Amino acid sequence: MEKTLIFGHKSPDTDTITSAIVMADFEKKLGNDVEACRLGNLNKETKYVFDYLKINAPRLIEKVEEGQNVILVDHNEFKQSVDGIENANILKVIDHHTMDFKTSYQLFYHSEPVGCTATVLYKLYKQNGFEIDKNIAILMISAIISDTLLFKSPTCTDDDVKAVEELNKIAGLDINSYGTSMLKAGTDFSDVSETDLINLDAKEFMIGDIKTVVAQVSTVDIDEMMKRKDKIEDEIKKVIEDKKLGLFLFAITDIMNSNSQVIVLGENSNIVSLAYNVKLENNTAFLPGVVSRKKQIIPIISKVAN
Ligand code: MN
Ligand code: MN
């Protein structure tokens, strides 16, 4: 039997990459033949984690063959998954996102309303009485810090905080200083082109019948990023044209002060004005307190359109 491939979503973030590795470790403890993979390049935040641990990135894959056994982590929507997923054989899904998923066969599907896939995985280790080694603990902690912005995101739950507390008994990190360095490493986009910038962490979905993309970058300096606004807008316009989008929202999120500056384009951009009761000036607005795409952007703009 061929190896089961484990991977997270396209435009991978730290949770997606590390959860594939952690899940592979977990599956090996169950005696299964698996390999962690990735669907895109590592971002700088994830690179920081890999450099810290002196480990290599999982293998890059672009598509899977028909009948390939796979395990999905940190996503369930086929749109965000590997090419060929429709004809793959999904054995398991471990996730923490809303569910947009249907198969004609049975599988193991475990999703919890927590801030991070790693938190779900941590619970699975505990349930099975499996030991967690130091590197795996650091990978899980990194994922939780990333997804919860060091516990500041409204998506962060008590379970996420508790998981880090317990995992850190194994890892022995200074969570605040490690976490801040890791998050800051992820905000250096100086050598990233505008084309890549708007694709690094982009999620496509439907709001009613409006094809929408919400992309997000983290920063510690909104003004610095806004100097690139014109070029960013040019790239967004190309994507709108290519994908026939009604709305593209690009959120520049200040992870230290927990705010976002958004750049909004598309013929349905008034949805954003209505959702937040703000005026878009030159296609942009400041949204105080908004950091979470999952909790503070997607549901808010979806409500207006319905
Ligand atoms: Mn993710
Ligand atoms: Mn996640």
Side-chain angles (χ1 to χ4, degrees), residues 9 13 15-16 74 96-97 147 203:
H9 51 81
D13 53 24
D15 185 28
T16 253
D74 196 39
H96 68 120
H97 293 91
D147 268 11
K203 289 219 161 110

Side-chain angles (χ1 to χ4, degrees), residues 214-218 248-253 260-263 287 290-291 293 297:
V214 176
Q216 188 171 32
V217 289
S218 301
F248 194 116
L249 187 157
F250 183 67
I252 301 163
T253 299
S260 289
Q261 184 80 34
V262 292
I263 297 172
L287 305 180
V290 172
V291 293
R293 174 170 51 194
I297 299 179

Side-chain angles (χ1 to χ4, degrees), residues 199-214:
N199 278 304
L200 277 177
D201 183 12
K203 289 219 161 110
E204 188 182 321
F205 58 98
M206 300 298 288
I207 299 181
D209 52 10
I210 301 164
K211 213 172 164 193
T212 303
V213 168
V214 176

Side-chain angles (χ1 to χ4, degrees), residues 185-197:
T187 67
D188 174 15
F189 297 111
S190 50
D191 61 352
V192 178
S193 72
E194 284 77 16
T195 322
D196 291 340
L197 205 52

Side-chain angles (χ1 to χ4, degrees), residues 9 17 26 33 58 63 80 94 110 117 122 146 153 180 185 277 281 300:
H9 51 81
I17 297 280
F26 178 83
D33 189 17
K63 60 175 177 36
Q80 295 165 13
I94 311 291
H110 188 132
T117 304
Y122 171 69
S146 171
S153 168
T180 306
N277 196 21
E281 282 178 45
I300 310 299

Side-chain angles (χ1 to χ4, degrees), residues 27-283:
E27 286 293 310
K28 281 174 190 163
K29 285 181 159 48
L30 289 173
N32 297 326
D33 189 17
V34 297
E35 182 190 3
C37 296
R38 64 188 162 95
L39 307 185
N41 293 331
L42 299 194
N43 64 33
K44 284 193 183 161
E45 184 194 275
T46 314
K47 266 189 203 139
Y48 178 91
V49 177
F50 278 60
D51 289 345
Y52 184 89
L53 292 173
K54 300 185 175 68
I55 58 170
N56 293 321
R59 181 165 65 95
L60 176 72
I61 57 167
E62 256 141 32
K63 60 175 177 36
V64 293
E65 301 302 323
E66 190 172 347
Q68 170 70 51
N69 286 339
V70 300
I71 293 174
L72 310 186
V73 293
D74 196 39
H75 74 299
N76 66 79
E77 289 182 47
F78 282 11
K79 254 191 195 159
Q80 295 165 13
S81 199
V82 75
D83 294 353
I85 189 67
E86 297 81 5
N87 300 313
N89 183 34
I90 304 168
L91 302 179
K92 301 184 183 184
V93 177
I94 311 291
D95 195 19
H96 68 120
H97 293 91
T98 44
M99 195 169 154
D100 182 16
F101 186 85
K102 201 176 178 195
T103 56
S104 53
Y105 50 89
Q106 292 179 301
L107 76 157
F108 180 96
Y109 193 105
H110 188 132
S111 182
E112 294 193 31
V114 293
C116 183
T117 304
T119 303
V120 182
L121 288 170
Y122 171 69
K123 292 184 187 186
L124 287 180
Y125 274 80
K126 263 181 80 170
Q127 275 169 26
N128 284 271
F130 289 164
E131 237 174 81
I132 299 173
D133 71 33
K134 193 172 172 181
N135 272 15
I136 293 292
I138 293 174
L139 288 170
M140 287 198 247
I141 289 171
S142 303
I144 298 169
I145 290 170
S146 171
D147 268 11
T148 67
L149 299 174
L150 204 44
F151 317 121
K152 279 193 288 194
S153 168
T155 57
C156 185
T157 67
D158 291 345
D159 288 4
D160 300 300
V161 177
K162 205 174 137 215
V164 170
E165 268 169 23
E166 290 182 19
L167 285 164
N168 205 33
K169 288 175 190 159
I170 304 163
L173 296 169
D174 177 337
I175 294 292
N176 227 353
S177 97
Y178 173 81
T180 306
S181 305
M182 188 197 94
L183 290 174
K184 276 195 177 158
T187 67
D188 174 15
F189 297 111
S190 50
D191 61 352
V192 178
S193 72
E194 284 77 16
T195 322
D196 291 340
L197 205 52
I198 62 164
N199 278 304
L200 277 177
D201 183 12
K203 289 219 161 110
E204 188 182 321
F205 58 98
M206 300 298 288
I207 299 181
D209 52 10
I210 301 164
K211 213 172 164 193
T212 303
V213 168
V214 176
Q216 188 171 32
V217 289
S218 301
T219 185
V220 287
D221 188 349
I222 286 177
D223 294 341
E224 191 61 34
M225 186 63 78
M226 285 299 278
K227 287 182 186 159
R228 304 172 69 175
K229 179 168 174 281
D230 290 347
K231 283 185 180 167
I232 290 170
E233 288 192 2
D234 289 344
E235 290 306 319
I236 292 175
K237 282 174 194 159
K238 282 187 209 162
V239 176
I240 288 176
E241 180 89 18
D242 270 10
K243 297 192 166 180
K244 310 254 177 297
L245 302 176
L247 178 63
F248 194 116
L249 187 157
F250 183 67
I252 301 163
T253 299
D254 179 342
I255 53 171
M256 294 299 144
N257 300 304
S258 302
N259 298 310
S260 289
Q261 184 80 34
V262 292
I263 297 172
V264 186
L265 291 168
E267 61 182 31
N268 299 101
S269 59
N270 66 316
I271 286 177
V272 176
S273 314
L274 291 169
Y276 296 99
N277 196 21
V278 290
K279 223 180 131 203
L280 291 173
E281 282 178 45
N282 290 320
N283 309 319

